Amino acid sequence: MWELLRTLWAIGCIPIGALLLIVLVLCGFNLAFFLGISSGADPAVRWLFWALVLYFVGGVWLFWWGDQRYASKLKRLAAGFQAQGFRPQVEVFAKMSDAYLGIDGAARRLLAYPIDGKGHFFQLDEISSWRIVPAGKRNHRLEVLTRNPRLPVFSLVLKPTEVLATEARLAALLGA
């Protein structure tokens, strides 16, 4: 649901941005008017301008806030599993903070979250392969393929800055 809202907001940015540009051009980029310092055009134009600006700013803030809440939830989840004896040498948090992957090499277990709304442990011998593939211009997706017929693939989107480090840590722990 969260991804649907994010997508709808991003798609809505195109016509809203075009409308905002039209309002700015028609008012001559008059910053004093938009700040309410001078009068000029119809005040409804000023309200339209601020409503369009709030659409952008509010959307950015809402999705940043949601991402922070998901990130704190994942950190609490990881801390809870660590309190139960799971000691990951590799931890990967997804770009949108909606998924987690942890690998405990000593216990030979891999924790993937979310699978059916909760965490799932795999034994490392259940992992048949893994790969990092490009997904768009700047994104990469980590895919872990398993031998478990119920859960054949677990994937998450990586932050662009973490791709090389994650690939090196996974290659060291799981092999190429």
Side-chain angles (χ1 to χ4, degrees), residues 77-78 81 86 100-103 109-113 119-122:
L77 174 96
F81 282 116
F86 180 69
Y100 170 81
L101 179 91
I103 301 174
R109 294 189 308 171
L110 179 140
L111 170 64
Y113 178 86
H120 183 80
F121 284 100
F122 294 97

Side-chain angles (χ1 to χ4, degrees), residues 37-56:
I37 297 170
S38 70
S39 61
D42 187 10
V45 174
R46 181 182 305 132
W47 287 106
L48 177 63
F49 169 78
W50 286 110
L52 297 174
V53 168
L54 285 176
Y55 178 83
F56 286 110

Side-chain angles (χ1 to χ4, degrees), residues 12-34:
C13 284
I14 296 168
I16 296 293
L19 186 59
L20 183 59
L21 185 62
I22 290 169
V23 168
L24 285 170
V25 168
L26 291 178
C27 291
F29 296 97
N30 187 352
L31 184 62
F33 168 72
F34 291 120

Side-chain angles (χ1 to χ4, degrees), residues 99-128:
Y100 170 81
L101 179 91
I103 301 174
D104 185 351
R108 310 276 308 148
R109 294 189 308 171
L110 179 140
L111 170 64
Y113 178 86
I115 293 178
D116 296 333
K118 58 185 179 223
H120 183 80
F121 284 100
F122 294 97
Q123 295 299 322
L124 288 188
D125 58 355
E126 284 184 84
I127 307 301
S128 58

